[in-house]
Amino acid sequence: MAYIIADNILSPLGKTTAENLQAVLAGRTGLDNHAASELGVGEDFVSSRLSQFPGEPQLSHFERKVVTSVKIALEKVDIDVRSSQVLFILSTTKGNIESLTLQSPSSDVAVGHTAQRIARYLGLTTPPIVVCNACISGLSALILAQRLIDQGAYHDVIVCGTDDIDRFVVSGFQSLKALSAQACRPFDIERMGLNLGEAVATAVLTAEASDACWRLTEGVVRNDAYHISAPSKTAEGQYRCLKQLLSHHPGQPIDFINLHGTATLFNDQMESVAVERAGLSALPANGYKGYYGHTLGAAGVLETVLSIHAAEAHVVVGTRGYEELGVSGQISVSADHRQCRSRSFLKTLSGFGGCNAAVLFTHVEADGETNNALHEKLRSFVPTHHLRLTPVSLEIDGEESLLVGHNGYDGLAMLYKSRIGGYPKFYKMDPLSRLGFVASELLLQAERNASTTPIDDDASRAIIFFNEHSSLAADLKYLESIAIDGEYFPSPSDFVYTLPNIVTGEIAIRNGYRGETSFYILPSRNELMERSILSAATSDISTRSILAGWLDYHDAHHFLADICIYNVIDTLTNE
């Protein structure tokens, strides 16, 4: 079990969690009007933004705000950050993307390197992990922390989520026509879109509970295998997340459900359908975007921490901006604060790439609980098929061939035409997604040709990838569309692919996989870390197979897909 023992929220509403809770309970918002000229974007926008942080000149604004929040959280606990049993996880969608330039893309902007600088500055000695899973990144990071603690890999995990609200991000959401010109109105009949928000949120998790605190009881990630940028109309992914939590914890009293509540037309609608399908229509529901805007990589951590402290005050925070229900699914939303008991709550998020997450948090007393998950059951994973694809060679299950005459990026198209075909969407994909699509298709062909036992159902196969450069090629392509004054034409299709986890969504859609999909970024390739994360993923008992490995695209002559299909095996252990 993993317990949250310290936290911090740093936002325009305050520098501490207490200040933020007080502001929210008073009905204040950090949202404000901003002129297009502030960032050089096409239109004025509504957002909550943090001021620049003074501090160490060797750190960027992004890095300084993370360091500040983490330090505030760590002041509340006695943890030796130099220990090999302490891990730092950064949750972000774009990291320090504003530092990226077309002229000389530097490794300094790679988000894994950013996390490494932060970890070293804080005094940590273990390699950090970056969770880059679109809008569910914060919850994905908390779930990963809980799993790694349960398997005994670490005793303490520091999770911090944030993103900069900068020209790259704002122009992208404007290109999607997703932003509201007024303060957002989650679940309301007159909602017009989302607002972006900048905040930093930190949660410290540990393996032992010495005082009354909140336990991350279980977390679930599911893909709806529907569309890379639109939610499933039947809410399949989010419904499956909620269904698993409710079936694994029958009779658990739940006080409320904190939803994503972006105030976009389709996401709010999807969430309402998921809540109703799960039988939770009568449960108090709320959203925090009217106070903070959509804080991207921070959302899952911020909204979890705020929910914890609101629950301890016996309050379900009202949904700011809401007046009249504007979704078809029956949900219990209110603009007013409501009373509740401090027992447990559900937190959900959804994001591009078809990903969805839900977590059950439970309040526990100071009863000396310890982590005994390792003494119950272990699950192992074994490779059944392997593929390695580079610009010049392809190896499948030990058989290697040279890509003569069609190497580099063109070789991917050649492989698609000669060995796959029949899926025109391939030509719309960014290079990372093309690499992942071709590699996965060839590997799945090998599985089928070997007559390997097929997966049990569409939720039993997870997709988990790692890399160092995130979505660099797509980032550079999108940057071209906004970099030159007088030639400012942000491309919505290019912007969507600036999330590395989109490749997992493309593979899920192609194959109808509705299991877990996750993307992690490391400072450099670390096979021990990869195996540790894969081992942690097997704690989801629905997962019977994993398509996973290293998937990195730097440029047309430097890319690597080194992926496997693993079977997950249950192994009983001695008490």
Side-chain angles (χ1 to χ4, degrees):
M1 298 295 179
Y3 307 89
I4 297 177
I5 56 171
D7 57 69
N8 171 258
I9 297 175
L10 187 61
S11 82
L13 292 179
K15 296 181 180 179
T16 66
T17 303
E19 289 178 4
N20 276 268
L21 179 63
Q22 184 178 14
V24 166
L25 293 180
R28 291 169 49 202
T29 180
L31 296 173
D32 201 358
N33 296 312
H34 296 271
S37 58
E38 290 184 31
L39 295 177
V41 294
E43 302 172 349
D44 296 347
F45 60 100
V46 176
S47 177
S48 66
R49 300 185 68 206
L50 285 167
S51 302
Q52 286 291 318
F53 275 72
E56 297 297 330
Q58 70 268 32
L59 299 179
S60 66
H61 165 72
F62 181 92
E63 294 160 350
R64 286 196 294 269
K65 64 183 180 178
V66 172
V67 167
T68 301
S69 180
V70 171
K71 282 186 173 181
I72 294 172
L74 289 176
E75 288 174 355
K76 306 170 186 176
V77 291
D78 183 18
I79 292 177
D80 181 6
V81 296
R82 298 166 298 178
S83 169
S84 61
Q85 286 292 295
V86 179
L87 172 70
F88 173 61
I89 299 178
L90 177 63
S91 161
T92 188
T93 63
K94 295 312 304 172
N96 206 13
I97 192 64
E98 197 67 7
S99 300
L100 182 66
T101 65
L102 291 172
Q103 291 72 28
S104 56
S106 169
S107 61
D108 286 345
V109 77
V111 68
H113 298 200
T114 298
Q116 183 77 285
R117 285 193 297 274
I118 293 169
R120 287 175 177 170
Y121 189 87
L122 291 168
L124 282 95
T125 59
T126 54
I129 301 171
V130 178
V131 178
C132 201
N133 223 20
C135 299
I136 75 167
S137 295
L139 281 189
S140 293
L142 292 171
I143 292 169
L144 176 62
Q146 179 246 337
R147 290 174 174 177
L148 290 171
I149 287 172
D150 274 1
Q151 75 169 13
Y154 301 93
H155 187 275
D156 306 293
V157 180
I158 303 162
V159 177
C160 184
T162 193
D163 269 293
D164 286 344
I165 302 306
D166 51 28
R167 188 170 191 253
F168 191 102
V169 171
V170 173
S171 65
F173 276 92
Q174 285 183 339
S175 75
L176 295 170
K177 306 299 181 184
L179 299 185
S180 171
Q182 294 84 36
C184 64
R185 304 181 64 173
F187 305 106
D188 190 79
I189 195 169
E190 296 188 9
R191 67 190 185 277
M192 297 297 292
L194 62 82
N195 307 135
L196 293 167
E198 187 174 2
V200 198
T202 301
V204 181
L205 294 84
T206 190
E208 300 178 20
S210 57
D211 297 305
C213 61
W214 287 80
R215 178 179 67 211
L216 198 164
T217 302
E218 185 180 357
V220 184
V221 176
R222 290 288 179 269
N223 199 290
D224 55 34
Y226 175 73
H227 194 276
I228 61 170
S229 60
S232 163
K233 295 179 180 179
T234 59
E236 198 61 35
Q238 193 58 258
Y239 165 68
R240 290 181 182 224
C241 290
L242 293 171
K243 180 182 177 182
Q244 177 158 319
L245 291 178
L246 295 173
S247 65
H248 288 182
H249 307 278
Q252 170 70 53
I254 300 173
D255 296 313
F256 63 93
I257 180 170
N258 175 242
L259 299 170
H260 197 22
T262 60
T264 53
L265 183 64
F266 297 118
N267 191 83
D268 285 9
Q269 168 65 15
M270 180 277 290
E271 287 193 286
S272 75
V273 171
V275 169
E276 184 172 16
R277 285 188 67 187
L280 299 173
S281 293
L283 189 67
N286 71 345
Y288 298 134
K289 301 298 189 291
Y291 302 97
Y292 295 97
H294 188 349
T295 56
L296 305 178
V301 187
L302 184 155
E303 295 170 6
T304 291
V305 170
L306 191 63
S307 293
I308 284 173
H309 286 267
E312 289 180 346
H314 304 291
V315 174
V316 178
V317 174
T319 301
R320 196 179 195 279
Y322 172 80
E323 292 182 9
E324 180 182 353
L325 190 66
V327 291
S328 67
Q330 293 302 305
I331 56 174
S332 178
V333 185
S334 172
D336 299 322
H337 305 323
R338 290 171 282 180
Q339 290 188 327
C340 74
R341 297 180 63 182
S342 178
R343 299 171 299 182
S344 66
F345 67 90
L346 292 166
K347 170 67 193 142
T348 66
L349 289 176
S350 59
F352 285 177
C355 54
N356 301 267
V359 180
L360 173 64
F361 295 92
T362 309
H363 188 264
V364 295
E365 299 299 329
D367 57 3
E369 272 196 55
T370 57
N371 187 350
N372 61 4
L374 291 175
H375 303 293
E376 297 172 357
K377 191 174 186 179
L378 288 176
R379 306 181 82 206
S380 60
F381 56 99
V382 295
T384 58
H385 299 281
H386 171 252
L387 174 144
R388 181 181 173 88
L389 173 61
T390 75
V392 297
S393 66
L394 169 67
E395 177 187 324
I396 304 176
D397 290 339
E399 296 186 8
E400 186 171 3
S401 58
L402 296 178
L403 304 181
V404 179
H406 292 281
N407 58 12
Y409 182 61
D410 291 340
L412 295 178
M414 180 272 292
L415 284 171
Y416 166 77
K417 290 178 182 179
S418 62
R419 301 200 187 190
I420 304 168
Y423 198 70
K425 190 182 178 183
F426 170 82
Y427 293 103
K428 295 183 179 181
M429 297 179 190
D430 73 300
L432 180 66
S433 295
R434 285 192 180 192
L435 175 62
F437 181 84
V438 168
S440 65
E441 285 292 298
L442 296 178
L443 192 60
L444 292 170
Q445 286 178 13
E447 180 185 48
R448 289 190 290 269
N449 292 338
S451 300
T452 306
T453 302
I455 60 174
D456 297 326
D457 59 62
D458 59 3
S460 65
R461 172 160 283 167
I463 306 170
I464 300 175
F465 290 140
F466 310 86
N467 79 8
E468 178 182 352
H469 293 99
S470 185
S471 51
L472 178 62
D475 294 343
L476 289 169
K477 184 178 181 182
Y478 178 73
L479 189 60
E480 287 181 351
S481 71
I482 65 171
I484 304 173
D485 292 338
E487 298 183 20
Y488 176 84
F489 300 106
S491 167
S493 58
D494 288 346
F495 180 70
V496 169
Y497 282 103
T498 64
L499 295 168
N501 74 296
I502 294 297
V503 62
T504 67
E506 292 284 20
I507 295 170
I509 293 167
R510 165 66 165 173
N511 296 283
Y513 295 155
R514 292 188 171 89
E516 176 170 337
T517 54
S518 295
F519 205 103
Y520 303 103
I521 301 171
L522 305 177
S524 60
R525 186 154 193 197
N526 185 328
E527 294 187 20
L528 288 176
M529 181 70 78
E530 291 175 43
R531 291 193 64 82
S532 181
I533 293 172
L534 292 181
S535 178
T538 66
S539 64
D540 184 335
I541 63 172
S542 296
T543 299
R544 308 297 307 176
S545 173
I546 306 175
L547 173 61
W550 189 259
L551 189 73
D552 205 2
Y553 188 100
H554 187 270
D555 58 40
H557 302 290
H558 302 87
F559 60 77
L560 172 64
D562 190 2
I563 64 176
C564 287
I565 292 174
Y566 297 94
N567 281 348
V568 179
I569 301 171
D570 294 332
T571 306
L572 294 177
T573 60
N574 295 326
E575 293 291 331

